[in-house]
């Protein structure tokens, strides 16, 4: 799955042949693509989200990076085996049949539009720097809905507009991140860090809980496997690009988080809705720097929503082509699955309104943790598929040492995904399971239609 950043669109199944004729990305370009796909809009609010756990959340960054690389390498192996478009959906369906493939696609789809809601909430925090609306729930809701619907309208206008928005947002995304990551080293004050363990949880509990939130910024580690068809010598370069891209993204994330922790007092950071703006204001004084960062962050997150909205329509599009989603999701206009865009933005809007009006404390954190659960379902199915392929030996003849190494990697990635589910917490798993089980009814309907069509 791509992070809600410069998410490279997943090509429909019919485009696989074209992809095979376009393998021209070498290792440097492939690494840049992986890094760009991972780094998205969520990072702009995450330092404040994990601040309540204390600086122990930096340990979670390290653990999460190792787990993310293991997961990414498993996806690289799976892409080598099954180079078709679809990622986790393809692997789960190939290994365990239609129902497992449907669950992977359904959960992946849920992740996309819940992520849209989370990103819109994060964007409102930076909008509040420019237009003070934070104290008014109705205006906050309106602002969050505008942040969701503008990218949706750009998608409905066609792929040309999607690409234009994405290009501008990509350039502006890295400016505030690099400014804080590098500038923070010169203004770092250890007194701002606060306690190592601030939440009162056990060390393992604090690391697990903060890692579950931080996973939102790592969604997309499998994106290199999705674009394997465009990479030159994919058997060699996809795995390397994945490790390098994930490692470089993790380094930038870590530098940014440490810089924010060291420039904004811990007590202020836990209540911040725009931590990067607060950090720049603390570095240079006044508010001009924070305002500039807020504008750049807003544009970046709108671009993230732009790419994520397209992805939220493409996921059910691929499944609909295989008869596992309603056929309406397979219709396109100007290259865009318009029905999928409309459904996704409507669901994200309803979820945003519900979480604000229900009085949820930490709306962004609540939504992020739901995506942690729903994202790990296809991760679990994909890693289980890899274990199945290795144990059954289906079309996979390699040296015993390579086989053992791949098995250890797959088991580690599976365990890492299970650990993230536990770290998401009861409330997020509860909401996520409700969303997931609602799909069983959809599958029953589609399977019945498919059976009835086959018998007539």
């Amino acid at each position: 799955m791509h992070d809600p950043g410069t998410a490279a669109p997943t090509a429909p199944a019919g485009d696989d042949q074209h992809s095979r004729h376009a393998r021209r990305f070498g290792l440097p370009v492939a690494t840049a693509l992986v890094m760009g796909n991972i780094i998205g809009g969520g990072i702009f609010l995450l330092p404040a989200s994990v601040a309540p756990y204390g600086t122990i959340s930096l340990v979670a960054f390290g653990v999460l990076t190792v787990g993310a690389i293991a997961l990414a390498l498993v996806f690289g192996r799976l892409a080598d085996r099954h180079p078709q478009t679809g990622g986790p959906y393809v692997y789960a369906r190939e290994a365990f049949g239609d129902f497992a493939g449907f669950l992977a696609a359904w959960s992946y789809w849920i992740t996309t539009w819940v992520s849209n809601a989370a990103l819109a909430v994060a964007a409102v925090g930076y909008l509040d720097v420019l237009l003070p609306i934070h104290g008014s729930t109705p205006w906050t809701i309106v602002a969050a809905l505008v942040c969701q619907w503008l990218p949706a309208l750009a998608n409905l206008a066609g792929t040309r507009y999607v690409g234009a928005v994405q290009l501008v947002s990509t350039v502006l995304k890295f400016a505030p991140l690099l400014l804080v990551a590098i500038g923070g080293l010169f203004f770092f004050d250890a007194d701002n860090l606060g306690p190592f363990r601030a939440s009162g949880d056990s060390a393992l509990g604090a690391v697990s809980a903060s890692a579950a939130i931080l996973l939102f910024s790592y969604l997309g580690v499998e994106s290199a496997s999705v674009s394997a068809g465009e990479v030159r010598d994919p058997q060699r370069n996809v795995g390397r690009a994945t490790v390098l891209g994930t490692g470089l993204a993790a380094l930038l994330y870590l530098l940014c988080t440490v810089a924010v922790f060291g420039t904004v007092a811990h007590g202020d950071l836990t209540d911040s809705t725009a931590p990067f703006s607060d950090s720049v204001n603390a570095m240079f004084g006044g508010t001009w720097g924070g305002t500039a960062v807020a504008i750049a962050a807003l544009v970046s997150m709108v671009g993230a929503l732009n790419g994520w909205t397209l992805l939220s329509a493409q996921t059910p599009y691929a499944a609909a082509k295989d008869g596992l989603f309603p056929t309406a999701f397979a219709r396109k206009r100007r290259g865009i699955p318009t029905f999928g865009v409309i459904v996704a933005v409507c669901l994200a809007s309803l979820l945003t309104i519900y979480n604000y009006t229900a009085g949820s404390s930490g709306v962004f954190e609540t939504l992020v943790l739901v995506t942690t659960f729903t994202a790990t379902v296809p991760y679990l199915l994909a890693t289980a598929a890899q274990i199945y392929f290795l144990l059954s030996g289906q079309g996979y003849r390699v040296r015993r040492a390579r086989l053992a190494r791949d098995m250890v990697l797959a088991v580690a990635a599976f365990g890492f995904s299970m650990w993230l589910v536990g770290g998401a917490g009861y409330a997020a798993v509860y909401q996520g399971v409700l969303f997931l089980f609602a799909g069983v009814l959809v599958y029953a309907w589609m399977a019945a239609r498919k059976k009835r069509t086959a018998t007539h």
Side-chain angles (χ1 to χ4, degrees):
M1 171 183 324
H2 303 285
D3 176 73
T6 53
T10 302
D15 289 347
D16 287 343
Q17 185 176 0
H18 170 74
S19 295
R20 287 196 293 271
H21 295 289
R23 288 180 178 164
R24 51 182 177 269
F25 293 156
L27 180 61
V29 176
T31 301
L33 286 172
V34 171
M35 187 178 179
N37 282 345
I38 292 175
I39 297 173
I43 185 60
F44 288 104
L45 198 56
L46 284 172
S49 299
V50 296
Y53 297 102
T55 51
I56 196 172
S57 57
L58 299 178
V59 177
F61 254 120
V63 176
L64 192 61
T65 300
V66 173
I69 290 175
L71 194 60
L73 286 172
V74 170
F75 277 104
R77 299 283 196 269
L78 287 166
D80 186 21
R81 176 196 302 276
H82 297 289
Q84 306 99 308
T85 294
Y89 161 69
V90 170
Y91 313 141
R93 189 179 183 219
E94 184 71 24
F96 309 121
D98 282 354
F99 184 61
F102 172 83
L103 282 181
W106 180 264
S107 188
Y108 188 72
W109 177 59
I110 292 170
T111 302
T112 60
W113 56 262
V114 175
S115 295
N116 279 354
L119 273 172
V121 172
V124 169
Y126 281 89
L127 181 63
D128 189 48
V129 175
L130 308 174
L131 302 171
I133 57 172
H134 190 64
S136 171
T137 299
W139 281 112
T140 301
I141 293 174
V142 169
L145 295 181
V146 169
C147 289
Q148 290 172 19
W149 278 91
L150 284 178
L153 293 174
N155 272 267
L156 293 173
T159 52
R160 186 178 67 174
Y161 294 94
V162 173
V165 172
Q166 211 65 22
L167 180 63
V168 174
S169 65
T170 299
V171 174
L172 289 177
K173 173 174 64 179
F174 283 96
L177 293 178
L178 292 173
L179 175 63
V180 171
I182 297 171
L185 299 176
F186 298 96
F187 295 89
F188 187 88
D189 184 353
D191 292 337
N192 289 324
L193 291 177
F196 178 68
R197 206 169 73 225
S199 64
D201 297 330
S202 66
L204 181 60
V207 170
S208 298
S210 51
I213 292 176
L214 291 169
L215 177 69
F216 185 72
S217 62
Y218 277 84
L219 297 181
V221 294
E222 78 285 6
S223 60
S225 66
V226 175
S227 54
E230 283 73 44
V231 178
R232 187 167 55 245
D233 191 6
Q235 289 81 2
R236 180 184 181 190
N237 286 333
V238 165
R240 292 183 176 185
T242 297
V243 173
L244 286 171
T246 303
L248 290 171
L251 178 62
L252 183 58
Y253 281 164
L254 185 60
L255 287 174
C256 286
T257 305
V258 169
V260 173
F261 276 19
T263 52
V264 182
H266 180 262
D268 296 332
L269 184 58
T270 55
D271 297 324
S272 176
T273 61
F276 277 71
S277 288
D278 293 341
S279 177
V280 173
N281 285 339
M283 290 182 204
F284 303 111
T287 59
W288 64 268
T291 300
V293 167
I295 294 172
L298 263 175
V299 174
S300 172
M301 283 186 276
V302 169
L305 280 161
N306 183 60
W308 217 202
T309 298
L310 180 59
L311 191 61
S312 69
Q314 289 172 326
T315 303
Y317 171 79
K321 297 289 283 186
D322 291 331
L324 295 180
F325 262 56
T327 54
F329 285 97
R331 296 171 190 157
K332 277 191 168 186
R333 181 173 174 269
R334 296 179 182 173
I336 300 292
T338 51
F339 183 78
V341 169
I342 293 171
V343 170
V345 73
C346 287
L347 288 172
S349 298
L350 290 173
L351 185 62
T352 302
I353 293 170
Y354 167 76
N355 276 279
Y356 272 122
T357 55
S360 303
S361 58
V363 176
F364 177 77
E365 291 78 7
T366 300
L367 294 171
V368 162
L369 288 173
V370 171
T371 67
T372 295
F373 172 75
T374 56
T376 49
V377 171
Y379 287 174
L380 286 167
L381 288 169
T383 51
Q386 172 71 338
I387 293 170
Y388 166 78
F389 291 138
L390 293 172
L391 291 175
S392 64
Q394 288 190 12
Y396 198 61
R397 298 185 180 276
V398 294
R399 294 189 306 272
R400 186 169 296 180
R402 166 73 181 272
L403 187 66
R405 186 169 67 247
D406 283 359
M407 180 61 75
V408 169
L409 201 62
V411 171
F414 186 89
F416 170 70
S417 300
M418 288 291 290
W419 174 62
L420 287 171
V421 171
Y426 295 110
V429 172
Y430 170 73
Q431 285 192 54
V433 166
L434 290 179
F435 287 141
L436 191 63
F437 283 177
V440 176
L441 185 61
V442 176
Y443 178 79
W445 172 42
M446 295 305 301
R449 284 187 58 185
K450 201 171 182 180
K451 183 74 172 177
R452 190 167 59 248
T453 302
T455 55
H456 284 293

